[in-house]
Amino acid sequence: MAKQIIKIDVKAKKADIARVKTDVAAIGVFSDVKKSASLDSLDAKLAGAISRLKKIGDFKAAAGSSIFLYTHGKIAAERLLLIGLGEKKQADSETFRRAAAKAAFEAVNIKAKTLAIFLNDEKSNADFEKLGQTLAEGIHFGGYRYDEFVTQSSDGRSGVLSATIASDSQSAVTKLSKGIKIGQIIAKAQNFARTLCNRPGNILYPSEFAAAARKIAGAVKGLSCTIYDDKKLAAKKIGGLNAVGRGATHKPRLIILKYAPKGKKKTEPLALVGKAITFDSGGISLKPASDMHEMKYDMTGGAAVLMTMEIAARLKLPVALYGIICAAENRPDGGSYLPGDIITTYSGKTVEILNTDAEGRIVLCDGIHLAKTLKCKTIIDLATLTGACVVALGKHKAGLFSNNEKLAKSIEQAAKDSGEPVWSLPYGQEYADEIKGKIADMKNIGSKWGGACSAAAFLGEFAKPAVWAHLDIAPTMDASEPIKKYAEPGSIGFGVRLLTEFLRSQK
Ligand code: BES
Ligand code: ZN
Ligand code: ZN
């Protein structure tokens, strides 16, 4: 297997846009900025080609738009790519991340091997370190392609993208470089999360996920990894994860990653818990056939947890962490759990299964309970948990639920900083009442309405008394239509940047 996945590298350099030899030179353009020294001088060198384009209306610099210009040797770059940034007053860091993604996306589409992004009239007091990080994240995000199983392709992708962020100020370049280093660590990990999610169920099943986790933990200092197989799960009475996974061809795994920051005095560990259903067929409560293949993305939460753990160790963040990944395949089989079954979860609470397709909460409640036994006082779980959350929010934002306002606020701030948006949804007793059991302590589904909220309430019962937040990332498990304009369809590795920025904000 495994052909190529494009190798991307980013660096910063002091350079003049007219002189850099590159397949593509890219520059951002605001729609409402009339005078720009760098654009005007570029326009003059290109005999007015840019102003002409604007005049005839082919390029209005709307956010998300772009256009190639061929330079005919007038500048050193073969092609100039103008990237629309929209209105300056509306621009935030996500505007620049997307613009960089668009540049890399278009460059890879034309099989360019080199891309130079030029900073245009940046103020000298701008936060260049942050900008370097943001642009590096964008370049990796837009340049990524998932093609490891394509053996017969006629379009012959270049396989590499060497990107430069160019500025005319040396002090800006120094700061950009610092940010790029951080951005590349985050973005490479995020792209690997995308690859894990894009891999289908016959390739990436629980033991393979566990092998990937072990390999990462082995390669990064400060990270360790323990794996429980199905026998161990049964022996330790981790009954939820075992019930969901036991019938499948590929048996379940519980993956426990630990990161201990060096040289810091012992801090209370924080737990990240991820749902990793490597394929969700629904089980005996089988899903309809249409779109079922998309359920290979049902391990997005687990992938985000794994790759965030790697980033935390690589960036040497000063927070003690556990990453708990509940990996199982949900499929019908002679040994599968059945509707009506009553299972005993790791916590000891019993649950009546009314629908085997509501399996995420059943594996996660064990992961959350494990976090408590590991003395974690703060727990964040990520899961592609409910279709109802997609109905509520569309594919644009993840649902955020929490029993603690301070935690929710800092996750919302991290969402802004990372460009991975969340929206708060309700957590409360009325939803918990819906999943109270009659013949067991609880049941695994609530009423017909508000399914994202009753699912969150179910998890909240297991998280008590910890400070807890739950991210229902079903809406963002793959690229939305707007994202497909600057990135490959398929997984977007949602959660990696969000969790990373959250952890970076914890001191
Ligand atoms: N993995 C699905 C949720 C999902 C649906 C994620 C669509 C992304 C897109 C989850 O395991 C599931 O099947 N949930 C059920 C719950 C229901 C049976 C109460 C759902 O949402 O339909
Ligand atoms: Zn399901
Ligand atoms: Zn699922």
Short mmCIF file of all heavy atoms in Angstrom, two decimals, residues 35-102:
data_model
loop_
_atom_site.label_atom_id
_atom_site.label_comp_id
_atom_site.label_asym_id
_atom_site.label_seq_id
_atom_site.Cartn_x
_atom_site.Cartn_y
_atom_site.Cartn_z
N LYS A 35 -5.03 51.54 -1.53
CA LYS A 35 -3.60 51.75 -1.75
C LYS A 35 -2.77 50.73 -0.98
O LYS A 35 -2.93 50.57 0.21
CB LYS A 35 -3.21 53.17 -1.30
CG LYS A 35 -3.46 54.23 -2.34
CD LYS A 35 -2.21 55.07 -2.56
CE LYS A 35 -1.68 55.26 -3.96
NZ LYS A 35 -1.81 54.35 -5.01
N SER A 36 -1.89 50.02 -1.67
CA SER A 36 -1.00 49.09 -1.00
C SER A 36 0.35 49.18 -1.69
O SER A 36 0.47 48.91 -2.90
CB SER A 36 -1.56 47.67 -1.10
OG SER A 36 -0.50 46.74 -1.09
N ALA A 37 1.37 49.58 -0.92
CA ALA A 37 2.70 49.81 -1.52
C ALA A 37 3.20 48.57 -2.25
O ALA A 37 3.63 48.65 -3.42
CB ALA A 37 3.67 50.24 -0.42
N SER A 38 3.13 47.41 -1.61
CA SER A 38 3.70 46.23 -2.26
C SER A 38 2.90 45.79 -3.48
O SER A 38 3.46 45.42 -4.50
CB SER A 38 3.87 45.08 -1.27
OG SER A 38 2.95 45.17 -0.22
N LEU A 39 1.56 45.90 -3.38
CA LEU A 39 0.76 45.50 -4.56
C LEU A 39 0.95 46.47 -5.72
O LEU A 39 1.04 46.06 -6.88
CB LEU A 39 -0.72 45.46 -4.17
CG LEU A 39 -1.25 44.12 -3.67
CD1 LEU A 39 -2.70 44.24 -3.27
CD2 LEU A 39 -1.09 43.03 -4.74
N ASP A 40 1.04 47.77 -5.37
CA ASP A 40 1.19 48.77 -6.43
C ASP A 40 2.51 48.60 -7.16
O ASP A 40 2.58 48.71 -8.39
CB ASP A 40 1.08 50.19 -5.85
CG ASP A 40 -0.35 50.46 -5.36
OD1 ASP A 40 -1.23 49.63 -5.67
OD2 ASP A 40 -0.57 51.47 -4.66
N SER A 41 3.58 48.28 -6.40
CA SER A 41 4.87 48.13 -7.08
C SER A 41 4.88 46.85 -7.92
O SER A 41 5.44 46.79 -9.01
CB SER A 41 6.03 48.18 -6.08
OG SER A 41 6.43 46.89 -5.70
N LEU A 42 4.20 45.83 -7.42
CA LEU A 42 4.07 44.58 -8.19
C LEU A 42 3.27 44.84 -9.47
O LEU A 42 3.64 44.38 -10.56
CB LEU A 42 3.36 43.56 -7.31
CG LEU A 42 3.45 42.10 -7.68
CD1 LEU A 42 4.91 41.65 -7.78
CD2 LEU A 42 2.72 41.25 -6.63
N ASP A 43 2.22 45.61 -9.33
CA ASP A 43 1.37 45.94 -10.47
C ASP A 43 2.17 46.67 -11.56
O ASP A 43 2.04 46.37 -12.76
CB ASP A 43 0.21 46.82 -9.98
CG ASP A 43 -0.88 46.97 -11.03
OD1 ASP A 43 -1.13 45.99 -11.76
OD2 ASP A 43 -1.47 48.06 -11.11
N ALA A 44 3.02 47.58 -11.08
CA ALA A 44 3.84 48.34 -12.04
C ALA A 44 4.78 47.39 -12.80
O ALA A 44 4.92 47.49 -14.03
CB ALA A 44 4.64 49.41 -11.30
N LYS A 45 5.37 46.45 -12.07
CA LYS A 45 6.29 45.50 -12.72
C LYS A 45 5.56 44.61 -13.72
O LYS A 45 6.13 44.14 -14.69
CB LYS A 45 6.98 44.63 -11.67
CG LYS A 45 8.01 45.41 -10.87
CD LYS A 45 8.86 44.50 -10.01
CE LYS A 45 9.92 45.34 -9.31
NZ LYS A 45 9.54 45.67 -7.92
N LEU A 46 4.29 44.37 -13.45
CA LEU A 46 3.50 43.50 -14.34
C LEU A 46 2.70 44.31 -15.36
O LEU A 46 1.69 43.83 -15.90
CB LEU A 46 2.56 42.62 -13.51
CG LEU A 46 3.26 41.61 -12.58
CD1 LEU A 46 2.26 40.96 -11.63
CD2 LEU A 46 3.97 40.53 -13.39
N ALA A 47 3.14 45.51 -15.61
CA ALA A 47 2.53 46.40 -16.61
C ALA A 47 1.03 46.59 -16.38
O ALA A 47 0.22 46.59 -17.32
CB ALA A 47 2.79 45.85 -18.02
N GLY A 48 0.67 46.72 -15.09
CA GLY A 48 -0.73 47.04 -14.76
C GLY A 48 -1.69 45.86 -14.80
O GLY A 48 -2.91 46.04 -14.80
N ALA A 49 -1.16 44.64 -14.81
CA ALA A 49 -2.03 43.46 -14.94
C ALA A 49 -3.00 43.32 -13.76
O ALA A 49 -4.16 42.91 -13.95
CB ALA A 49 -1.19 42.20 -15.07
N ILE A 50 -2.54 43.69 -12.57
CA ILE A 50 -3.40 43.53 -11.39
C ILE A 50 -4.54 44.55 -11.41
O ILE A 50 -5.72 44.20 -11.22
CB ILE A 50 -2.59 43.65 -10.08
CG1 ILE A 50 -1.50 42.56 -10.02
CG2 ILE A 50 -3.50 43.56 -8.86
CD1 ILE A 50 -0.55 42.68 -8.85
N SER A 51 -4.20 45.80 -11.69
CA SER A 51 -5.26 46.83 -11.70
C SER A 51 -6.26 46.56 -12.84
O SER A 51 -7.45 46.80 -12.71
CB SER A 51 -4.68 48.24 -11.78
OG SER A 51 -3.58 48.28 -12.62
N ARG A 52 -5.74 46.02 -13.93
CA ARG A 52 -6.60 45.67 -15.07
C ARG A 52 -7.63 44.60 -14.66
O ARG A 52 -8.82 44.71 -14.96
CB ARG A 52 -5.68 45.15 -16.18
CG ARG A 52 -6.34 44.86 -17.48
CD ARG A 52 -6.09 45.97 -18.54
NE ARG A 52 -7.21 46.02 -19.48
CZ ARG A 52 -8.04 47.02 -19.60
NH1 ARG A 52 -7.88 48.13 -18.89
NH2 ARG A 52 -9.03 46.97 -20.46
N LEU A 53 -7.13 43.59 -13.95
CA LEU A 53 -8.00 42.50 -13.48
C LEU A 53 -9.12 43.04 -12.61
O LEU A 53 -10.27 42.62 -12.71
CB LEU A 53 -7.19 41.54 -12.61
CG LEU A 53 -6.73 40.23 -13.20
CD1 LEU A 53 -6.07 39.40 -12.11
CD2 LEU A 53 -7.87 39.47 -13.84
N LYS A 54 -8.75 43.96 -11.72
CA LYS A 54 -9.74 44.55 -10.82
C LYS A 54 -10.75 45.36 -11.62
O LYS A 54 -11.94 45.30 -11.38
CB LYS A 54 -9.04 45.47 -9.82
CG LYS A 54 -8.45 44.72 -8.64
CD LYS A 54 -8.10 45.71 -7.56
CE LYS A 54 -7.50 45.07 -6.35
NZ LYS A 54 -6.73 46.04 -5.54
N LYS A 55 -10.22 46.10 -12.60
CA LYS A 55 -11.06 46.99 -13.40
C LYS A 55 -12.11 46.20 -14.18
O LYS A 55 -13.29 46.57 -14.20
CB LYS A 55 -10.17 47.77 -14.36
CG LYS A 55 -10.79 49.02 -14.89
CD LYS A 55 -9.73 49.88 -15.50
CE LYS A 55 -10.31 51.14 -16.09
NZ LYS A 55 -9.25 51.91 -16.75
N ILE A 56 -11.70 45.13 -14.81
CA ILE A 56 -12.68 44.37 -15.61
C ILE A 56 -13.56 43.47 -14.72
O ILE A 56 -14.45 42.79 -15.20
CB ILE A 56 -12.01 43.56 -16.75
CG1 ILE A 56 -11.01 42.52 -16.20
CG2 ILE A 56 -11.34 44.48 -17.75
CD1 ILE A 56 -10.39 41.67 -17.28
N GLY A 57 -13.26 43.47 -13.41
CA GLY A 57 -14.14 42.78 -12.46
C GLY A 57 -13.90 41.29 -12.30
O GLY A 57 -14.71 40.60 -11.70
N ASP A 58 -12.77 40.79 -12.84
CA ASP A 58 -12.51 39.34 -12.72
C ASP A 58 -12.04 38.94 -11.34
O ASP A 58 -12.08 37.78 -10.97
CB ASP A 58 -11.47 38.90 -13.75
CG ASP A 58 -12.05 38.86 -15.14
OD1 ASP A 58 -13.12 39.48 -15.33
OD2 ASP A 58 -11.46 38.23 -16.04
N PHE A 59 -11.55 39.90 -10.59
CA PHE A 59 -11.05 39.60 -9.24
C PHE A 59 -11.45 40.73 -8.30
O PHE A 59 -10.96 41.85 -8.42
CB PHE A 59 -9.53 39.42 -9.27
CG PHE A 59 -8.96 39.08 -7.91
CD1 PHE A 59 -9.23 37.86 -7.30
CD2 PHE A 59 -8.15 40.00 -7.23
CE1 PHE A 59 -8.71 37.55 -6.05
CE2 PHE A 59 -7.63 39.69 -5.98
CZ PHE A 59 -7.90 38.46 -5.40
N LYS A 60 -12.36 40.40 -7.37
CA LYS A 60 -12.86 41.45 -6.46
C LYS A 60 -12.27 41.30 -5.07
O LYS A 60 -12.66 41.99 -4.14
CB LYS A 60 -14.38 41.39 -6.38
CG LYS A 60 -15.06 41.67 -7.72
CD LYS A 60 -16.55 41.94 -7.50
CE LYS A 60 -17.26 42.39 -8.76
NZ LYS A 60 -17.49 41.30 -9.73
N ALA A 61 -11.37 40.34 -4.91
CA ALA A 61 -10.70 40.08 -3.63
C ALA A 61 -11.65 39.65 -2.53
O ALA A 61 -11.39 39.86 -1.34
CB ALA A 61 -9.86 41.30 -3.19
N ALA A 62 -12.78 39.03 -2.91
CA ALA A 62 -13.68 38.47 -1.89
C ALA A 62 -12.95 37.37 -1.13
O ALA A 62 -12.12 36.68 -1.71
CB ALA A 62 -14.93 37.91 -2.57
N ALA A 63 -13.28 37.24 0.15
CA ALA A 63 -12.65 36.18 0.95
C ALA A 63 -12.94 34.83 0.30
O ALA A 63 -14.07 34.56 -0.10
CB ALA A 63 -13.20 36.21 2.38
N GLY A 64 -11.90 34.02 0.16
CA GLY A 64 -12.07 32.68 -0.42
C GLY A 64 -11.82 32.63 -1.92
O GLY A 64 -11.70 31.55 -2.49
N SER A 65 -11.73 33.81 -2.57
CA SER A 65 -11.49 33.80 -4.01
C SER A 65 -10.00 33.84 -4.29
O SER A 65 -9.19 34.21 -3.44
CB SER A 65 -12.16 35.02 -4.67
OG SER A 65 -11.53 36.20 -4.24
N SER A 66 -9.64 33.45 -5.51
CA SER A 66 -8.22 33.56 -5.91
C SER A 66 -8.16 33.56 -7.42
O SER A 66 -9.10 33.13 -8.09
CB SER A 66 -7.41 32.39 -5.35
OG SER A 66 -7.72 31.20 -6.04
N ILE A 67 -7.04 34.05 -7.94
CA ILE A 67 -6.86 34.02 -9.40
C ILE A 67 -5.37 33.94 -9.74
O ILE A 67 -4.53 34.56 -9.07
CB ILE A 67 -7.55 35.24 -10.07
CG1 ILE A 67 -7.67 35.04 -11.58
CG2 ILE A 67 -6.84 36.55 -9.74
CD1 ILE A 67 -8.70 35.94 -12.23
N PHE A 68 -5.04 33.14 -10.73
CA PHE A 68 -3.65 33.03 -11.20
C PHE A 68 -3.38 34.06 -12.29
O PHE A 68 -4.21 34.28 -13.17
CB PHE A 68 -3.41 31.64 -11.82
CG PHE A 68 -3.02 30.60 -10.82
CD1 PHE A 68 -3.86 29.52 -10.56
CD2 PHE A 68 -1.79 30.67 -10.16
CE1 PHE A 68 -3.49 28.54 -9.64
CE2 PHE A 68 -1.42 29.68 -9.24
CZ PHE A 68 -2.28 28.62 -8.98
N LEU A 69 -2.20 34.65 -12.21
CA LEU A 69 -1.71 35.52 -13.28
C LEU A 69 -0.41 34.93 -13.79
O LEU A 69 0.43 34.51 -12.99
CB LEU A 69 -1.40 36.92 -12.73
CG LEU A 69 -2.56 37.85 -12.44
CD1 LEU A 69 -2.03 39.10 -11.75
CD2 LEU A 69 -3.22 38.23 -13.74
N TYR A 70 -0.21 34.92 -15.08
CA TYR A 70 1.06 34.42 -15.63
C TYR A 70 1.98 35.59 -15.87
O TYR A 70 1.57 36.62 -16.39
CB TYR A 70 0.78 33.57 -16.87
CG TYR A 70 0.06 32.33 -16.42
CD1 TYR A 70 -1.32 32.33 -16.28
CD2 TYR A 70 0.78 31.21 -16.03
CE1 TYR A 70 -1.99 31.22 -15.77
CE2 TYR A 70 0.12 30.08 -15.53
CZ TYR A 70 -1.25 30.10 -15.40
OH TYR A 70 -1.90 29.01 -14.88
N THR A 71 3.21 35.47 -15.41
CA THR A 71 4.05 36.67 -15.28
C THR A 71 4.93 36.92 -16.50
O THR A 71 5.56 37.98 -16.58
CB THR A 71 4.94 36.55 -14.02
OG1 THR A 71 5.82 35.41 -14.20
CG2 THR A 71 4.12 36.36 -12.77
N HIS A 72 5.00 35.98 -17.40
CA HIS A 72 5.77 36.15 -18.65
C HIS A 72 7.16 36.71 -18.42
O HIS A 72 7.63 37.58 -19.17
CB HIS A 72 5.00 37.04 -19.63
CG HIS A 72 3.64 36.53 -19.93
ND1 HIS A 72 3.40 35.43 -20.72
CD2 HIS A 72 2.40 36.93 -19.50
CE1 HIS A 72 2.09 35.17 -20.77
NE2 HIS A 72 1.47 36.07 -20.03
N GLY A 73 7.79 36.27 -17.36
CA GLY A 73 9.17 36.69 -17.10
C GLY A 73 9.33 38.09 -16.54
O GLY A 73 10.44 38.56 -16.32
N LYS A 74 8.22 38.77 -16.27
CA LYS A 74 8.33 40.14 -15.75
C LYS A 74 8.79 40.16 -14.29
O LYS A 74 9.39 41.13 -13.83
CB LYS A 74 7.00 40.87 -15.90
CG LYS A 74 6.65 41.15 -17.36
CD LYS A 74 5.49 42.12 -17.45
CE LYS A 74 5.18 42.50 -18.87
NZ LYS A 74 4.17 41.61 -19.49
N ILE A 75 8.46 39.11 -13.56
CA ILE A 75 9.06 38.89 -12.23
C ILE A 75 9.62 37.46 -12.23
O ILE A 75 9.34 36.68 -13.15
CB ILE A 75 8.05 39.10 -11.07
CG1 ILE A 75 6.90 38.10 -11.14
CG2 ILE A 75 7.54 40.53 -11.03
CD1 ILE A 75 5.98 38.12 -9.91
N ALA A 76 10.40 37.12 -11.21
CA ALA A 76 11.09 35.82 -11.23
C ALA A 76 10.14 34.63 -11.10
O ALA A 76 10.41 33.55 -11.60
CB ALA A 76 12.15 35.78 -10.13
N ALA A 77 9.00 34.84 -10.42
CA ALA A 77 8.05 33.73 -10.25
C ALA A 77 7.32 33.45 -11.56
O ALA A 77 6.99 34.37 -12.30
CB ALA A 77 7.05 34.08 -9.16
N GLU A 78 7.08 32.17 -11.79
CA GLU A 78 6.36 31.75 -13.01
C GLU A 78 4.91 32.26 -13.00
O GLU A 78 4.38 32.71 -14.00
CB GLU A 78 6.39 30.22 -13.03
CG GLU A 78 6.18 29.59 -14.38
CD GLU A 78 7.21 30.03 -15.41
OE1 GLU A 78 8.42 29.81 -15.22
OE2 GLU A 78 6.77 30.62 -16.41
N ARG A 79 4.30 32.13 -11.81
CA ARG A 79 2.88 32.51 -11.70
C ARG A 79 2.69 33.35 -10.44
O ARG A 79 3.36 33.13 -9.43
CB ARG A 79 1.98 31.28 -11.54
CG ARG A 79 2.20 30.22 -12.58
CD ARG A 79 1.54 28.92 -12.13
NE ARG A 79 1.88 27.83 -13.03
CZ ARG A 79 2.98 27.09 -12.89
NH1 ARG A 79 3.85 27.32 -11.93
NH2 ARG A 79 3.22 26.12 -13.75
N LEU A 80 1.74 34.29 -10.53
CA LEU A 80 1.36 35.06 -9.35
C LEU A 80 -0.07 34.65 -8.98
O LEU A 80 -0.94 34.61 -9.85
CB LEU A 80 1.40 36.56 -9.69
CG LEU A 80 0.97 37.50 -8.57
CD1 LEU A 80 1.95 37.46 -7.40
CD2 LEU A 80 0.86 38.94 -9.10
N LEU A 81 -0.25 34.32 -7.72
CA LEU A 81 -1.59 33.93 -7.26
C LEU A 81 -2.11 35.02 -6.32
O LEU A 81 -1.52 35.27 -5.26
CB LEU A 81 -1.51 32.57 -6.53
CG LEU A 81 -2.81 32.01 -5.95
CD1 LEU A 81 -3.85 31.76 -7.03
CD2 LEU A 81 -2.53 30.71 -5.19
N LEU A 82 -3.18 35.68 -6.74
CA LEU A 82 -3.79 36.69 -5.87
C LEU A 82 -4.85 35.98 -5.02
O LEU A 82 -5.68 35.24 -5.54
CB LEU A 82 -4.47 37.78 -6.71
CG LEU A 82 -3.59 38.55 -7.69
CD1 LEU A 82 -4.42 39.58 -8.46
CD2 LEU A 82 -2.43 39.24 -6.97
N ILE A 83 -4.77 36.23 -3.72
CA ILE A 83 -5.72 35.59 -2.80
C ILE A 83 -6.62 36.66 -2.21
O ILE A 83 -6.13 37.60 -1.58
CB ILE A 83 -4.97 34.90 -1.63
CG1 ILE A 83 -3.85 34.01 -2.12
CG2 ILE A 83 -5.93 34.17 -0.70
CD1 ILE A 83 -4.25 32.63 -2.49
N GLY A 84 -7.91 36.51 -2.38
CA GLY A 84 -8.86 37.47 -1.80
C GLY A 84 -8.95 37.31 -0.29
O GLY A 84 -9.04 36.19 0.21
N LEU A 85 -8.89 38.43 0.43
CA LEU A 85 -8.97 38.39 1.90
C LEU A 85 -10.28 39.00 2.41
O LEU A 85 -10.52 39.04 3.61
CB LEU A 85 -7.79 39.14 2.52
CG LEU A 85 -6.37 38.61 2.20
CD1 LEU A 85 -5.32 39.57 2.72
CD2 LEU A 85 -6.17 37.23 2.79
N GLY A 86 -11.10 39.54 1.49
CA GLY A 86 -12.33 40.20 1.92
C GLY A 86 -12.02 41.55 2.56
O GLY A 86 -10.95 42.13 2.34
N GLU A 87 -12.95 42.03 3.38
CA GLU A 87 -12.77 43.35 3.99
C GLU A 87 -11.79 43.31 5.14
O GLU A 87 -11.85 42.42 5.99
CB GLU A 87 -14.13 43.86 4.51
CG GLU A 87 -15.06 44.26 3.39
CD GLU A 87 -16.39 44.77 3.92
OE1 GLU A 87 -16.43 45.25 5.08
OE2 GLU A 87 -17.37 44.70 3.17
N LYS A 88 -10.92 44.34 5.17
CA LYS A 88 -9.87 44.36 6.18
C LYS A 88 -10.43 44.39 7.59
O LYS A 88 -9.92 43.72 8.50
CB LYS A 88 -8.95 45.57 5.95
CG LYS A 88 -7.74 45.55 6.82
CD LYS A 88 -6.64 46.44 6.35
CE LYS A 88 -5.39 46.17 7.18
NZ LYS A 88 -4.22 46.90 6.70
N LYS A 89 -11.50 45.17 7.78
CA LYS A 89 -12.04 45.30 9.16
C LYS A 89 -12.63 43.99 9.69
O LYS A 89 -12.82 43.82 10.88
CB LYS A 89 -13.03 46.46 9.27
CG LYS A 89 -14.22 46.37 8.35
CD LYS A 89 -15.17 47.54 8.62
CE LYS A 89 -16.38 47.55 7.73
NZ LYS A 89 -16.14 47.71 6.29
N GLN A 90 -12.92 43.08 8.77
CA GLN A 90 -13.49 41.80 9.23
C GLN A 90 -12.45 40.71 9.38
O GLN A 90 -12.76 39.60 9.82
CB GLN A 90 -14.55 41.34 8.23
CG GLN A 90 -15.81 42.16 8.35
CD GLN A 90 -16.99 41.56 7.62
OE1 GLN A 90 -16.89 40.51 7.02
NE2 GLN A 90 -18.10 42.25 7.70
N ALA A 91 -11.21 41.01 9.00
CA ALA A 91 -10.19 39.96 8.98
C ALA A 91 -9.75 39.59 10.40
O ALA A 91 -9.57 40.44 11.26
CB ALA A 91 -8.99 40.45 8.19
N ASP A 92 -9.61 38.29 10.63
CA ASP A 92 -9.02 37.81 11.88
C ASP A 92 -8.01 36.72 11.52
O ASP A 92 -7.71 36.53 10.34
CB ASP A 92 -10.12 37.29 12.83
CG ASP A 92 -10.95 36.17 12.21
OD1 ASP A 92 -10.55 35.63 11.16
OD2 ASP A 92 -12.00 35.84 12.78
N SER A 93 -7.49 36.04 12.53
CA SER A 93 -6.42 35.09 12.23
C SER A 93 -6.91 33.97 11.30
O SER A 93 -6.17 33.46 10.47
CB SER A 93 -5.83 34.51 13.52
OG SER A 93 -6.80 33.74 14.18
N GLU A 94 -8.19 33.62 11.40
CA GLU A 94 -8.72 32.57 10.53
C GLU A 94 -8.73 33.01 9.06
O GLU A 94 -8.56 32.19 8.16
CB GLU A 94 -10.11 32.16 11.02
CG GLU A 94 -10.79 31.05 10.24
CD GLU A 94 -10.05 29.71 10.20
OE1 GLU A 94 -9.04 29.54 10.90
OE2 GLU A 94 -10.48 28.84 9.42
N THR A 95 -8.89 34.32 8.84
CA THR A 95 -8.83 34.84 7.46
C THR A 95 -7.47 34.51 6.85
O THR A 95 -7.37 34.07 5.70
CB THR A 95 -9.00 36.38 7.48
OG1 THR A 95 -10.18 36.69 8.21
CG2 THR A 95 -9.07 36.95 6.07
N PHE A 96 -6.40 34.70 7.63
CA PHE A 96 -5.05 34.47 7.12
C PHE A 96 -4.75 32.97 7.02
O PHE A 96 -4.06 32.52 6.10
CB PHE A 96 -4.02 35.19 7.99
CG PHE A 96 -4.19 36.69 7.91
CD1 PHE A 96 -4.74 37.40 8.96
CD2 PHE A 96 -3.85 37.36 6.75
CE1 PHE A 96 -4.93 38.77 8.87
CE2 PHE A 96 -4.04 38.73 6.64
CZ PHE A 96 -4.58 39.44 7.71
N ARG A 97 -5.27 32.21 8.00
CA ARG A 97 -5.06 30.75 7.94
C ARG A 97 -5.70 30.20 6.66
O ARG A 97 -5.10 29.42 5.93
CB ARG A 97 -5.66 30.08 9.17
CG ARG A 97 -5.26 28.61 9.31
CD ARG A 97 -5.91 27.95 10.52
NE ARG A 97 -5.30 28.33 11.79
CZ ARG A 97 -5.84 29.15 12.67
NH1 ARG A 97 -7.01 29.69 12.44
NH2 ARG A 97 -5.22 29.44 13.79
N ARG A 98 -6.93 30.64 6.38
CA ARG A 98 -7.62 30.16 5.17
C ARG A 98 -6.95 30.64 3.90
O ARG A 98 -6.91 29.92 2.90
CB ARG A 98 -9.07 30.65 5.17
CG ARG A 98 -9.90 29.90 6.16
CD ARG A 98 -11.35 30.27 6.05
NE ARG A 98 -12.06 29.70 7.18
CZ ARG A 98 -13.37 29.68 7.31
NH1 ARG A 98 -14.13 30.20 6.38
NH2 ARG A 98 -13.93 29.14 8.36
N ALA A 99 -6.44 31.87 3.93
CA ALA A 99 -5.77 32.39 2.74
C ALA A 99 -4.52 31.57 2.44
O ALA A 99 -4.25 31.21 1.28
CB ALA A 99 -5.40 33.86 2.95
N ALA A 100 -3.76 31.23 3.48
CA ALA A 100 -2.57 30.40 3.29
C ALA A 100 -2.97 29.01 2.80
O ALA A 100 -2.31 28.41 1.94
CB ALA A 100 -1.79 30.31 4.60
N ALA A 101 -4.07 28.50 3.36
CA ALA A 101 -4.57 27.18 2.93
C ALA A 101 -4.95 27.23 1.45
O ALA A 101 -4.61 26.34 0.67
CB ALA A 101 -5.77 26.77 3.78
N LYS A 102 -5.64 28.29 1.07
CA LYS A 102 -6.06 28.45 -0.33
C LYS A 102 -4.84 28.49 -1.26
O LYS A 102 -4.83 27.86 -2.32
CB LYS A 102 -6.88 29.74 -0.46
CG LYS A 102 -7.38 30.05 -1.85
CD LYS A 102 -8.53 29.16 -2.25
CE LYS A 102 -9.12 29.58 -3.59
NZ LYS A 102 -10.07 28.57 -4.09
#
